[in-house]
Amino acid sequence: LLLAGYEEPESEEILDMHELELFHGLQQDAIDALSAIVEPRQLNAGERIFAQGETGDELYLIRRGLIDAYLPLPGKKSHLIATFGAGDYVGEMSFLDRMKRSADAQARGPAALFVLSRKRFNDFAHSHPDVAAKLFSRLALLVSTHLRTANSELSALQER
């Protein structure tokens, strides 16, 4: 999770599965098994990944590029919530709770992702329960970290 509006030089390097933060600590055989259930996706600058209110259960793992998360506001305006970079992820809330998307997400520039659907993950979990448990534990830890960062930012805004 990067600060809202974060600027980073464009890198042409595309991260592999083992380089993504969510998969840190997993054995190579587990990462190889997970590689079989993710779908690579390329995005163009400005391409929307999802919009607030849409249904979806996909988790988007960022291999290259920057993804901006926006909160739509009245009058076709929006507020930049956060910027996510290579190694991070977006879409975790709907992946976990299967509720509608809470924000918009779009590529700031060209981006490369891995897409993990909840259905594919659930099928995977039946044959790899230990790996699935480790992945959920890791995701819970990372979501907690994101929430703590957001809470700190809100506290700082209230003190202004």
Side-chain angles (χ1 to χ4, degrees):
L1 172 66
L2 307 169
L3 296 175
Y6 175 80
E7 292 292 334
E8 178 177 275
E10 278 296 316
S11 170
E12 293 302 314
E13 181 181 339
I14 297 178
L15 300 179
D16 289 324
M17 290 278 285
H18 71 278
E19 296 174 292
L20 299 173
E21 186 175 13
L22 183 60
F23 302 124
H24 287 181
L26 291 180
Q27 298 295 321
Q28 188 60 48
D29 60 335
I31 293 172
D32 292 343
L34 285 163
S35 294
I37 65 167
V38 297
E39 170 192 327
R41 185 173 300 167
Q42 301 292 322
L43 300 173
N44 295 316
E47 190 171 339
R48 180 173 282 168
I49 302 169
F50 54 79
Q52 182 185 51
E54 289 180 349
T55 58
D57 70 350
E58 296 90 6
L59 177 65
Y60 300 89
L61 304 156
I62 305 166
R63 302 176 64 204
R64 179 177 58 87
L66 297 173
I67 304 299
D68 291 325
Y70 292 94
L71 183 62
L73 300 172
K76 296 190 179 190
K77 295 180 181 180
S78 62
H79 174 73
L80 179 63
I81 300 169
T83 299
F84 301 91
D88 213 335
Y89 58 87
V90 294
E92 73 280 1
M93 290 171 51
S94 291
F95 178 80
L96 291 169
D97 65 17
R98 298 186 187 125
M99 295 181 70
K100 293 181 188 262
R101 301 287 183 184
S102 63
D104 294 352
Q106 73 179 38
R108 181 178 294 179
L113 310 172
F114 280 132
V115 182
L116 175 59
S117 78
R118 183 60 187 266
K119 181 184 179 338
R120 282 188 174 185
F121 180 77
N122 287 348
D123 293 343
F124 172 86
H126 289 299
S127 57
H128 300 85
D130 292 345
V131 175
K134 286 178 186 175
L135 191 63
F136 260 114
S137 176
R138 181 81 179 136
L139 185 56
L141 177 63
L142 293 173
V143 167
S144 175
T145 301
H146 282 186
L147 287 173
R148 288 185 186 279
T149 301
N151 285 343
S152 295
E153 289 178 17
L154 286 174
S155 292
L157 285 173
Q158 288 177 341
E159 292 174 7
R160 287 187 179 181

